[in-house]
Amino acid sequence: VSPGCRGAQGRLAYKLLHDLFANYSSALRPVEDTDRALNVTLQVTLSQIIDMDERNQVLTSYLWVRQTWLDAHLTWDKDGYGGIDSIRIPSSYVWRPDIILYNNADERFGGSMETNVVLRSDGHIMWDSPAITKSSCKVDVSYFPFDGQRCRLTFGSWTHNGNQIDLRNQLDTGDLRDFVENVEWEVLGMPATRNVITYGCCSEPYPDVTYTLLLRRRASFYIFNLLLPCIMVSFLAPLGFYLPADSGEKVSLGVTVLLALTVFQLLVAESMPPSESVPLIGKYYIATMTMITASTALTIFIMNVHHCGPGARPVPPWARRLILHHMARLCCVYEVGESCKSPQRALGGREGVADAGGPGESPGEGQLGAEVQGCPWEHCLCHHDSLLRNVGYIAGCFRRHRANQRRTGEWKKVAKVMDRFFMWVFFLMVFLMSVLVLGNAA
């Protein structure tokens, strides 16, 4: 095209713009019949999800909004203007529908950018404008971090009812072809529906187009930073029962694990909305903390049993049968020199042997007493009463010491059997809770 032709086209475009807007007003709805509704078509393209604020329930997204309508006052014969079929002019020159986001949550209430519109010779106007919107979104964190959200973007006219503007969606879904992938959220779809609602303020119907953004959280970050550390810390709690009671670290381990889970619980609570629905990972934390609290309390009780002094009562017969016999075999707790495969000696027989010559008296002591009682008078010094009293006192102290040692050893074994039993019980509880959480997430 020669420079002269391009100059002629430019002069014709200026003349066209002057002729179109000589008697045009952008304040009135551009229809020839004011009783008829103006058809406005809306299409939304999702470009990017900027942020999802779960605590304040606000979705920040970057959208491209396309609106098309017919302006009956802006038509021309393209042959009369050198074949010009379309021109691009500032959007402030023409009438624009007051389509806004109903569930806007931006404190500044910003709208679309002031971009140009494409005006065609038949009067059709297409207005593409980018917009960064903050919309309210009802967040359900019951299955966090394996949750999905449904955020609605509702567009409609603020002042024109359905008898003046007939708003319709161009496609049944939002355009996701230019969507930039988000690191936290995966977009499953964006279906569009048209709704006609009659509000309480007015009797006229108001149509709107609602785009439902279907989101699913990418849980890998939360699994490796919140869930797996909690599971590993939880499996440390039952190991407190395996620690020797004389180490002095049994209670401190339980308290340390409880404090660690409290830190994780606070991290989750800071990012979640203060609602009645507790997230799934929060329920897991609470259940684990309750279990660790119970294990710490049981550890304190078992340590009290372990450190029973010489003045403690003997182990009751029911506890001897249940704990020292059945539960000890179940948990493979045996004395030194015994094993799970070696037969366990009968407790009653051992006690009978130990008590044959009195509590804790050895067989040798009984024989010595018999020899002393039956020794000839002329060959020993048993006729000395003071010596007999001293020997009897020493033998009695030795028997009482042996009895106290046996009683203390039985209580220590009771504590050890209870430690092993509760260790396996709490290991099973942690495993079942972890499987239950993952099963509910699936």
Side-chain angles (χ1 to χ4, degrees):
V1 181
S2 62
C5 294
R6 288 197 297 267
Q9 288 285 343
R11 288 192 297 271
L12 290 175
Y14 274 104
K15 182 176 184 302
L16 173 61
L17 182 64
H18 181 270
D19 293 343
L20 286 176
F21 293 96
N23 297 315
Y24 180 81
S25 175
S26 61
L28 298 177
R29 190 166 54 97
V31 291
E32 295 180 352
D33 187 0
T34 55
D35 294 333
R36 297 186 60 182
L38 177 65
N39 295 324
V40 177
T41 304
L42 179 68
Q43 178 61 29
V44 172
T45 300
L46 178 63
S47 178
Q48 184 180 0
I49 295 177
I50 299 176
D51 181 41
M52 167 65 86
D53 188 355
E54 292 94 344
R55 187 168 185 84
N56 296 317
Q57 303 188 83
V58 174
L59 171 67
T60 304
S61 55
Y62 179 40
L63 306 176
W64 299 344
V65 182
R66 171 174 291 184
Q67 304 176 48
T68 58
W69 66 93
L70 177 63
D71 194 323
H73 304 310
L74 296 178
T75 60
W76 70 90
D77 184 8
K78 58 182 179 179
D79 295 333
Y81 291 92
I84 298 178
D85 183 54
S86 63
I87 57 174
R88 286 161 176 79
I89 57 177
S91 58
S92 58
Y93 283 21
V94 301
W95 177 89
R96 295 171 296 179
D98 55 345
I99 305 298
I100 65 170
L101 181 64
Y102 279 176
N103 55 332
N104 196 313
D106 193 355
E107 57 184 8
R108 296 173 299 180
F109 211 83
S112 303
M113 289 183 59
E114 294 291 335
T115 56
N116 291 338
V117 299
V118 179
L119 176 60
R120 300 191 178 278
S121 59
D122 55 359
H124 281 90
I125 298 179
M126 182 176 63
W127 182 26
D128 284 336
S129 61
I132 296 178
T133 62
K134 291 185 177 181
S135 58
S136 58
C137 177
K138 185 178 180 180
V139 178
D140 184 12
V141 292
S142 300
Y143 291 95
F144 175 85
F146 306 98
D147 58 330
Q149 305 298 334
R150 300 170 63 92
C151 295
R152 292 177 173 82
L153 302 171
T154 303
F155 295 89
S157 176
W158 188 251
T159 58
H160 296 89
N161 55 51
N163 299 324
Q164 297 171 336
I165 290 182
D166 187 12
L167 182 63
R168 295 185 178 274
N169 49 300
Q170 184 176 354
L171 299 175
D172 294 334
T173 180
D175 191 0
L176 300 176
R177 290 175 296 180
D178 298 315
F179 177 70
V180 179
E181 291 292 333
N182 188 268
V183 295
E184 184 179 1
W185 296 96
E186 179 184 359
V187 178
L188 303 180
M190 194 178 178
T193 56
R194 180 179 182 270
N195 307 301
V196 179
I197 302 176
T198 301
Y199 296 97
C201 64
C202 316
S203 58
E204 297 85 1
Y206 282 82
D208 64 68
V209 175
T210 300
Y211 291 88
T212 304
L213 190 58
L214 306 178
L215 302 174
R216 182 171 61 190
R217 192 188 302 271
R218 303 181 191 270
S220 301
F221 174 82
Y222 299 97
I223 289 176
F224 286 101
N225 290 276
L226 291 180
L227 190 57
L228 285 183
C230 176
I231 294 177
M232 290 187 290
V233 169
S234 301
F235 274 100
L236 284 178
L239 291 177
F241 292 107
Y242 193 75
L243 278 176
D246 297 329
S247 65
E249 299 292 335
K250 294 172 71 69
V251 178
S252 61
L253 176 62
V255 174
T256 303
V257 172
L258 187 62
L259 292 176
L261 288 178
T262 304
V263 172
F264 284 112
Q265 174 70 14
L266 291 176
L267 290 177
V268 174
E270 287 179 356
S271 59
M272 295 295 101
S275 62
E276 295 183 356
S277 60
V278 181
L280 183 63
I281 191 173
K283 295 178 182 178
Y284 180 72
Y285 285 161
I286 293 298
T288 307
M289 292 167 65
T290 304
M291 185 200 67
I292 294 174
T293 303
S295 68
T296 306
L298 285 173
T299 300
I300 296 173
F301 171 75
I302 294 173
M303 289 185 65
N304 192 18
V305 173
H306 175 84
H307 292 286
C308 284
R313 297 179 179 179
V315 178
W318 65 268
R320 185 177 287 110
R321 289 192 302 269
L322 176 63
I323 299 178
L324 296 182
H325 183 64
H326 299 290
M327 290 178 59
R329 292 171 56 185
L330 179 65
C331 300
C332 290
V333 179
Y334 295 94
E335 298 292 346
V336 178
E338 297 178 349
S339 65
C340 298
K341 297 181 180 179
S342 62
Q344 187 180 16
R345 293 176 296 175
L347 296 173
R350 187 185 63 182
E351 292 166 1
V353 173
D355 296 338
E361 183 181 1
S362 63
E365 293 172 1
Q367 296 175 1
L368 178 61
E371 293 179 357
V372 171
Q373 292 177 4
C375 66
W377 177 268
E378 65 274 7
H379 294 92
C380 67
L381 300 176
C382 297
H383 59 279
H384 297 287
D385 294 337
S386 60
L387 182 60
L388 287 175
R389 285 195 300 269
N390 291 334
V391 171
Y393 177 76
I394 294 174
C397 290
F398 181 72
R399 287 194 297 268
R400 286 192 298 271
H401 178 69
R402 289 287 301 273
N404 291 335
Q405 279 188 335
R406 188 182 70 251
R407 190 181 304 119
T408 303
E410 287 182 347
W411 281 116
K412 287 184 177 180
K413 187 174 181 181
V414 167
K416 187 175 181 180
V417 171
M418 294 176 65
D419 266 336
R420 294 295 187 273
F421 175 74
F422 285 117
M423 181 186 72
W424 292 114
V425 168
F426 279 90
F427 264 129
L428 181 62
M429 291 175 60
V430 172
F431 176 75
L432 291 179
M433 283 193 301
S434 303
V435 171
L436 184 62
V437 168
L438 297 177
N440 287 335

